[in-house]
Amino acid sequence: MKLKKLSAPVLLLLPAFVVLTAVIVLPLVFSFYSSFTPFRLTKPESLWIFVGLRNYVAVLSNWDFWIAFGRTVVLLTIALNTEMLLGLGLALLVNKATQGQRLLRTVMMFPMMFSPVLVGFQFKFMFNDNIGFVNNALQSLGVTDRAIPWLIDGNLALVSIIIAEVWSSTAVFAILILAGLLAMPKDPVEAAHVDGCTPWQTFRYVTWPYLMPFAFIAMTIRSLDVARAYDIVKIMTDGGPAKRTELLWTLIGRTAYADARMGMANAMAYVAILLSIVFTVYFFRKLAAARQQIGAEW
Amino acid sequence: MAPVTLRKLVKRYGALDVVHGIDLEVKDREFIALVGPSGCGKSTTLRMIAGLEDVSGGAIEIGGRKVNDLPPRARNISMVFQSYALYPHMTVAENMGFSLKIAGRSADEIKTRVEDAATILDLGHLLERRPSQLSGGQRQRVAMGRAIVRQPDVFLFDEPLSNLDAKLRTQVRTEIKKLHARMQATMIYVTHDQVEAMTLSDRIVIMRDGHIEQVGTPEEVFQRPATKFVAGFIGSPPMNMDEAIVDQGQLVFATGIRLPIPPRFVGAVRAGQKVTFGLRPDDIYPSGHGLHAGDAAAVHEINLPVTITEPLGNETLVFIQFNGRDWVSRMLNPRPLRSGESVPMSFDLSRVHLFDIETGKALGA
Ligand SMILES: Nc1ncnc2c1ncn2[C@@H]1O[C@H](COP(=O)(O)OP(=O)(O)OP(=O)(O)O)[C@@H](O)[C@H]1O
Ligand SMILES: [Mg+2]
């Protein structure tokens, strides 16, 4: 009886709303609420104690949290810039290939096809100080005669993680920048040659402005990716040694499951999301500016 | 001083030859037009001169210096592309000043030269716009501005007017002509529009399938086409042509029409020879409505049926049936004609062209 009164559009949209509410809105509201409680998985009744902003105050005054936050930003900056340079180089090289370009493009994407967990395991093995491939190779080549403690030294461990990240995701930049190169009109480049540009100047003043929007799209995607980095780190170092590779999400995961402090972890997560939002907004601004620059019609 | 010389210039894409060893001397400050049908190799030739395509054989010299292996930037040329090829991320002023900036000129000098060029091309009010905010004609002028700001030795144009509407095209054509007078630079201009070629250039190069058919002044290629192809390509409406056989001092057409052979061909043809007979629409007219005062002795009159007429105001194109084909004639001071009406047509035989049927080469002196 009552259903009949609902108009057709409402009726048709209703299932979507119900599903979205059930799988997204409710968990979101619930997790947000729990960040205001001292909820522990081991003490379900603690969910009903409301403590206001106490968790947030604790998070913001927690030195470990800020170190993990800072380390995540550092990792993100180094990884993204490295990936961008390598991806750009790769895309330019592949774009030059006159034969077998399809094959190269496919091969280029291989690293993206592996689960990050497997990448983590593989690099953990490769960087193993005793039996790892990296030390073995370095020693055979005579670069060093001792075993470099890749995953045992704090700084080297972070470097190792960055290498694994870069290996697995440079393709994102390469693919997007290559798409830009393929879509780019040839005439302005030729005009630049005639106007007296060296190959480097042509790249700097003509090609690069075209590619910038594509690079920023890749940056946005990857910044979201790296800001929530968890799997590779979890497998390779689990935040160690002595928390020297602890990132935001490994810290949050540990707080939530190892320490079972769900309320606190949720508060951390909401602060961490701010980081992602800031990066996304930043890159979208850059993207919009770059698009406007080249008068892009997309 | 920048003459441009092509010696046995060849371009090959894999096994495919698209330019077959062409020779051409462009004098310093000359305006040369390259014309020919689509795909004949005009752009390829121009791009080799610019250094944007590798040379497969032969040599290119600019200002007496062989430039085959020099990159475009070392050739001191400017090129205006068919698609304009403006830098979309730069303003009009930046587009025009880009080459000077690359050459390391001072900001003041760049500003002065860009403003000078902008004045010539009437772009002053657009200097701060981006190419995407300009109309086609304005973009075209920016492309031209970018070329002149450099003050190069040689200008290369690849169909720069083909994206413009008819009115703008005429206007910019005049601009280019003025520009040539002002710049005193060598210009090579590719087009497939013969009106552009005729109006702009000192000499025209007619190309076909990667060969040069003829090089000559606009008058030469119009009045003395070296081949049947040139005769058909230059002139609008095109030259009327048909096959004929030489017989007893006359040209005999398939339907039996006979025309006397003009005196200047007498030694050049032999009896029984098959030739292509050509006569321009200007040289056929309803008697009394001709373009030329003409040499009365050379005018031959035949009654022919009119098929249709195309009035153009000051003149009318009259299509007549000649030897089973529609031929075009040009009627000045037109009077109305009916379809099917039989009209006495004057053929000015002093202006006949004859071509060898096999080689297509022009016969006679
Ligand atoms: N990259 C290429 N690979 C193979 N063949 C090519 C290539 N570029 C051009 N050609 C061929 O070379 C010939 C000449 O091309 P070109 O562009 O010089 O013609 P054009 O005279 O400028 O014609 P249009 O008036 O249509 O611009 C054409 O038959 C074309 O198919
Ligand atoms: Mg062309």
Side-chain angles (χ1 to χ4, degrees):
Chain A
M1 285 296 282
K2 231 187 168 185
L3 266 182
K4 282 227 172 85
K5 282 191 184 147
L6 292 173
S7 69
V10 174
L11 210 58
L12 287 170
L13 286 173
L14 207 57
F17 276 111
V18 170
V19 172
L20 280 178
T21 308
V23 302
I24 294 181
V25 180
L26 284 182
L28 215 58
V29 169
F30 176 71
S31 70
F32 193 60
Y33 163 76
S34 75
S35 71
F36 296 100
T37 69
F39 182 41
R40 277 170 176 271
L41 288 176
T42 47
K43 293 187 197 156
E45 70 281 3
S46 60
L47 185 57
W48 308 114
I49 309 167
F50 189 81
V51 294
L53 289 172
R54 205 176 75 193
N55 284 333
Y56 285 92
V57 173
V59 168
L60 295 179
S61 53
N62 178 351
W63 200 231
D64 281 351
F65 176 81
W66 285 115
I67 288 176
F69 191 102
R71 194 176 285 123
T72 307
V73 174
V74 168
L75 176 89
L76 200 144
T77 312
I78 298 177
L80 256 57
N81 281 299
T82 315
E83 286 173 23
M84 170 124 130
L85 285 178
L86 291 178
L88 177 65
L90 213 55
L92 289 173
L93 280 178
V94 171
N95 189 44
K96 279 261 182 274
T98 45
Q99 280 180 4
Q101 207 191 82
R102 267 161 186 273
L103 184 71
L104 283 176
R105 287 204 296 257
T106 315
V107 170
M108 202 165 77
M109 291 182 68
F110 275 175
M112 289 171 69
M113 297 176 192
F114 298 110
S115 151
V117 173
L118 292 181
V119 174
F121 275 122
Q122 191 59 34
F123 274 88
K124 184 175 187 174
F125 164 70
M126 293 211 299
F127 282 118
N128 184 294
D129 51 336
N130 278 322
I131 55 161
F133 164 82
V134 176
N135 275 348
N136 240 314
L138 290 178
Q139 283 164 357
S140 309
L141 290 172
V143 178
T144 173
D145 53 1
R146 54 191 194 89
I148 299 170
W150 286 108
L151 297 174
I152 296 164
D153 177 274
N155 292 330
L156 284 180
L158 198 63
V159 169
S160 309
I161 289 172
I162 289 174
I163 292 176
E165 267 301 336
V166 167
W167 180 84
S168 70
S169 298
T170 292
V172 175
F173 279 87
I175 294 290
L176 278 160
I177 291 176
L178 186 62
L181 278 171
L182 293 175
M184 177 176 166
K186 289 212 170 53
D187 305 0
V189 171
E190 295 189 332
H193 289 318
V194 172
D195 267 347
C197 287
T198 59
W200 162 248
Q201 286 168 325
T202 308
F203 176 78
R204 161 82 181 71
Y205 293 110
V206 180
T207 311
W208 178 239
Y210 263 108
L211 297 182
M212 249 175 1
F214 294 87
F216 282 127
I217 292 173
M219 284 269 185
T220 315
I221 296 174
R222 286 292 298 149
S223 70
L224 289 174
D225 249 11
V226 179
R228 64 185 166 82
Y230 180 76
D231 26 29
I232 288 185
V233 187
K234 179 75 184 168
I235 303 293
M236 283 178 72
T237 63
D238 196 12
K243 297 196 175 172
R244 291 292 296 278
T245 57
E246 188 84 297
L247 299 180
L248 269 180
W249 287 95
T250 54
L251 177 66
I252 294 168
R254 196 183 318 285
T255 312
Y257 304 113
D259 306 351
R261 288 155 60 199
M262 204 42 131
M264 178 67 84
N266 275 331
M268 284 180 177
Y270 277 99
V271 177
I273 281 171
L274 278 179
L275 177 68
S276 295
I277 293 176
V278 167
F279 269 100
T280 308
V281 169
Y282 172 73
F283 287 126
F284 263 67
R285 287 245 170 99
K286 289 278 210 188
L287 172 63
R291 277 181 47 192
Q292 162 140 38
Q293 272 257 311
I294 62 162
E297 272 145 21
W298 40 271
Chain B
M1 284 294 282
V4 176
T5 309
L6 312 183
R7 290 188 209 285
K8 299 262 169 302
L9 188 62
V10 176
K11 179 65 190 181
R12 214 172 278 128
Y13 288 110
L16 179 74
D17 276 24
V18 297
V19 174
H20 305 267
I22 58 175
D23 287 296
L24 180 67
E25 299 246 0
V26 183
K27 299 189 206 82
D28 182 37
R29 298 176 187 188
E30 193 175 22
F31 195 119
I32 281 268
L34 292 183
V35 298
S38 192
C40 70
K42 309 179 293 286
S43 300
T44 308
T45 306
L46 197 74
R47 290 167 56 81
M48 282 194 282
I49 299 173
L52 295 171
E53 295 283 351
D54 293 333
V55 171
S56 317
I60 299 173
E61 290 169 16
I62 298 178
R65 183 173 58 137
K66 186 171 168 188
V67 296
N68 282 34
D69 300 319
L70 294 183
R73 64 174 186 279
R75 299 187 184 196
N76 199 20
I77 45 158
S78 276
M79 181 152 169
V80 178
F81 294 78
Q82 178 170 357
S83 55
Y84 317 138
L86 300 177
Y87 309 119
H89 55 292
M90 298 184 199
T91 63
V92 168
E94 287 166 344
N95 259 286
M96 299 212 296
F98 184 63
S99 60
L100 299 179
K101 178 178 158 188
I102 292 298
R105 300 303 171 79
S106 74
D108 282 346
E109 186 189 348
I110 296 177
K111 194 165 180 304
T112 324
R113 277 165 70 171
V114 166
E115 279 170 3
D116 285 352
T119 315
I120 296 173
L121 294 164
D122 191 20
L123 287 170
H125 57 298
L126 300 175
L127 285 177
E128 293 314 312
R129 297 235 194 130
R130 291 269 163 83
S132 57
Q133 300 163 322
L134 300 178
S135 75
Q138 290 166 335
R139 288 180 206 191
Q140 210 289 326
R141 279 182 286 155
V142 176
M144 202 100 82
R146 188 171 63 180
I148 65 179
V149 161
R150 291 197 73 196
Q151 302 179 344
D153 292 335
V154 182
F155 276 96
L156 305 173
F157 297 90
D158 193 355
E159 309 204 21
L161 308 187
S162 56
N163 289 342
L164 305 185
D165 68 35
K167 181 159 169 268
L168 207 50
R169 197 179 299 187
T170 324
Q171 196 180 322
V172 182
R173 203 169 71 202
T174 320
E175 295 294 333
I176 294 179
K177 191 150 193 171
K178 284 192 210 149
L179 200 66
H180 180 237
R182 183 197 300 256
M183 301 289 297
Q184 295 290 307
T186 310
M187 295 192 173
I188 304 179
Y189 187 103
V190 164
T191 176
H192 57 236
D193 179 343
Q194 47 156 314
V195 180
E196 268 169 40
M198 300 287 277
T199 51
L200 287 171
S201 51
D202 298 321
R203 285 191 302 156
I204 298 181
V205 177
I206 295 126
M207 289 185 69
R208 176 198 191 186
D209 294 343
H211 293 283
I212 290 181
E213 288 270 318
Q214 186 174 4
V215 182
T217 63
E219 294 74 32
E220 278 166 1
V221 296
F222 185 80
Q223 286 173 1
R224 288 196 301 284
T227 64
K228 182 182 159 187
F229 175 79
V230 174
F233 192 79
I234 300 286
S236 171
M239 186 185 283
N240 300 297
M241 287 192 258
D242 209 343
E243 283 178 24
I245 298 182
V246 178
D247 181 42
Q248 297 171 356
Q250 290 188 313
L251 293 163
V252 186
F253 291 86
T255 53
I257 301 178
R258 288 174 169 263
L259 290 173
I261 296 181
R264 68 185 182 103
F265 294 107
V266 167
V269 294
R270 51 194 160 66
Q273 186 178 2
K274 276 192 176 176
V275 296
T276 302
F277 172 94
L279 197 54
R280 292 204 185 275
D282 315 68
D283 306 320
I284 308 175
Y285 44 89
S287 299
H289 294 268
L291 177 63
H292 305 291
D295 163 10
V299 174
H300 191 87
E301 200 174 79
I302 315 177
N303 281 327
L304 293 168
V306 170
T307 47
I308 51 163
T309 57
E310 289 182 354
L312 299 173
N314 57 340
E315 61 180 36
T316 295
L317 297 181
V318 180
F319 290 75
I320 45 168
Q321 274 284 312
F322 179 85
N323 195 33
R325 291 175 197 259
D326 267 342
W327 274 25
V328 196
S329 67
R330 206 187 283 274
M331 177 188 204
L332 292 193
N333 309 317
R335 69 174 168 88
L337 292 175
R338 273 177 294 108
S339 278
E341 182 178 347
S342 184
V343 178
M345 300 297 297
S346 293
F347 282 57
D348 185 347
L349 298 184
S350 66
R351 292 173 184 269
V352 162
H353 302 269
L354 294 183
F355 305 98
D356 186 288
I357 207 139
E358 251 104 58
T359 63
K361 293 244 162 64
L363 300 167

